[in-house]
Amino acid sequence: MSDLGYKIKQILSLIVFVAVLSLLGMISGRPIMILAYGVFFLVVVAIMFYLTNKRQRHFEKVKESSPVFKKVFGIILVLLSLITPMVIIFKTNLVNLPESSPIGTAIAIVGAVSIVFIALTLAAVYFINMRGKQVSNRVIGYILYVIAAMIPGLLMSRIEKTTIGIGSVYYVALIVLILAYSGFGLITNRE
């Protein structure tokens, strides 16, 4: 494939990726949030592209970005992955929590579930990608992926059993996973 064709394919993929992520703004009930989410994810993708664009062609020298900046941005992405579920649950009408539940308890449950979900998925990546030379490690990683994948659906099915509710939670889980994985990659310097 020519360089021009490759670049066009990358740009189109990026546009589709940001457009799909911007649809997360629909859950707020305000159409303007689609644009706000689109701008946010476009900025995140642009920063990620800037930080990870170190591939060299034709033996040219490319200036490396600051490792401290990478780590700080990685930490920000991981924190965003922890905060995103809480913001979506408490600021949108995606999940209708029972009115009798105290807000502090709900925040603690959402925070704990987010941490467990992120920890399981990152542990799965660790076992598959970093220790995956042994089959047993890969099997452990895939089992962790399956467990992590079941968590959002199981929890949502206790509150709302509609297809839209469960599907929306998996959409949020995908956003959380992308933010956490990208942040983890920057912190550990794995691209």
Side-chain angles (χ1 to χ4, degrees), residues 70-96:
K70 279 185 175 183
K71 290 192 187 302
V72 168
F73 189 65
I75 290 170
I76 290 171
L77 287 178
V78 170
L79 290 176
L80 276 174
S81 71
L82 291 171
I83 294 170
T84 299
M86 288 184 223
V87 170
I88 290 172
I89 288 173
F90 297 114
K91 296 291 184 185
T92 67
N93 56 2
L94 176 66
V95 178
N96 297 321

Side-chain angles (χ1 to χ4, degrees), residues 4-77:
L4 179 62
Y6 180 72
K7 292 289 184 189
I8 290 173
K9 182 179 171 187
Q10 278 186 322
I11 291 170
L12 289 176
S13 298
L14 177 66
I15 290 170
V16 169
F17 180 72
V18 171
V20 169
L21 290 179
S22 69
L23 292 177
L24 186 61
M26 289 190 322
I27 63 175
S28 67
R30 297 181 298 190
I32 191 70
M33 291 307 291
I34 294 172
L35 182 62
Y37 275 82
V39 169
F40 169 75
F41 285 113
L42 189 62
V43 168
V44 169
V45 167
I47 292 172
M48 292 296 297
F49 179 75
Y50 171 75
L51 292 176
T52 59
N53 190 18
K54 293 179 3 178
R55 304 215 170 141
Q56 298 181 13
R57 292 185 179 201
H58 308 296
F59 302 104
E60 60 199 28
K61 292 192 176 186
V62 176
K63 182 181 175 187
E64 271 195 44
S65 59
S66 166
V68 174
F69 181 69
K70 279 185 175 183
K71 290 192 187 302
V72 168
F73 189 65
I75 290 170
I76 290 171
L77 287 178

Side-chain angles (χ1 to χ4, degrees), residues 76-178:
I76 290 171
L77 287 178
V78 170
L79 290 176
L80 276 174
S81 71
L82 291 171
I83 294 170
T84 299
M86 288 184 223
V87 170
I88 290 172
I89 288 173
F90 297 114
K91 296 291 184 185
T92 67
N93 56 2
L94 176 66
V95 178
N96 297 321
L97 296 174
E99 294 191 20
S100 62
S101 64
I103 193 81
T105 305
I107 290 174
I109 290 171
V110 170
V113 168
S114 298
I115 290 171
V116 168
F117 176 73
I118 292 169
L120 283 173
T121 54
L122 292 179
V125 168
Y126 174 76
F127 276 104
I128 294 169
N129 292 345
M130 298 173 200
R131 298 197 53 174
K133 291 181 180 176
Q134 296 177 342
V135 175
S136 61
N137 286 338
R138 286 194 303 259
V139 169
I140 291 170
Y142 287 119
I143 290 171
L144 290 175
Y145 261 137
V146 169
I147 293 170
M150 290 188 317
I151 290 174
L154 287 174
L155 289 176
M156 191 63 181
S157 68
R158 301 219 182 257
I159 298 171
E160 183 179 348
K161 295 184 182 203
T162 65
T163 307
I164 293 173
I166 293 175
S168 298
V169 165
Y170 275 107
Y171 196 65
V172 173
L174 178 65
I175 302 298
V176 168
L177 185 60
I178 290 170

